[in-house]
Amino acid sequence: MHKGSCLCGAVSFRLRSEPKAVANCHCRMCQKQHGAAFATYASVPKSDLEYLAGQELLTSYNSSGSVIRKFCSVCGSNVEWSGSKKFPGWVSIAVALLDTSFAPKSIKDIHLESRVCWL
Ligand SMILES: [Zn+2]
Ligand SMILES: [Zn+2]
């Protein structure tokens, strides 16, 4: 079972199933939110994400359409991405927060149209 936590450690969670559909997202919103060239997310059914601590510290931001991004209000770590109209029952987790080793078999690069030149 995978476990993860934010930078300050106040928010921690575990995943009841193996995360799927791992993607490096190069869209401008992920770049800005993560302050990075891309964001890596993997998805689990919403019921498979269990918070162990700090869920009340998450702040939600509606970045576009129905998409909600949640981050730790103490340290700013990005935690959740959800609200996909295509996959309403799923939540994506920022893979970099995992404290357990995770070696996905395949990773997709998406929204390469806004890929940065300095990567
Ligand atoms: Zn935090
Ligand atoms: Zn993105």
Side-chain angles (χ1 to χ4, degrees), residues 64-113:
S64 67
S66 57
V67 171
I68 300 291
R69 295 166 183 265
K70 293 186 184 177
F71 57 93
C72 173
S73 58
V74 178
C75 69
S77 287
N78 299 302
V79 182
E80 281 189 36
W81 185 107
S82 67
S84 161
K85 285 191 171 135
K86 240 172 144 182
F87 302 102
W90 290 71
V91 59
S92 300
I93 294 296
V95 167
L97 298 193
L98 294 178
D99 297 313
T100 44
S101 68
F102 177 54
K105 286 185 191 106
S106 67
I107 305 176
K108 268 189 189 167
D109 283 277
I110 59 173
H111 292 294
L112 284 168
E113 69 280 1

Side-chain angles (χ1 to χ4, degrees), residues 6-95:
C6 65
L7 174 60
C8 74
V11 176
S12 61
F13 59 87
R14 65 182 172 191
L15 306 176
R16 293 199 190 95
S17 61
E18 191 70 10
K20 291 178 181 170
V22 188
N24 294 329
C25 185
H26 299 258
C27 84
R28 289 293 291 142
M29 287 180 278
C30 283
Q31 287 171 350
K32 284 183 179 282
Q33 195 196 14
H34 290 253
F38 60 87
T40 308
Y41 283 107
S43 302
V44 294
K46 279 183 178 170
S47 55
D48 284 350
L49 168 61
E50 181 190 352
Y51 281 95
L52 303 171
Q55 189 173 7
E56 72 283 358
L57 295 172
L58 294 175
T59 296
S60 296
Y61 176 65
N62 176 207
S63 57
S64 67
S66 57
V67 171
I68 300 291
R69 295 166 183 265
K70 293 186 184 177
F71 57 93
C72 173
S73 58
V74 178
C75 69
S77 287
N78 299 302
V79 182
E80 281 189 36
W81 185 107
S82 67
S84 161
K85 285 191 171 135
K86 240 172 144 182
F87 302 102
W90 290 71
V91 59
S92 300
I93 294 296
V95 167

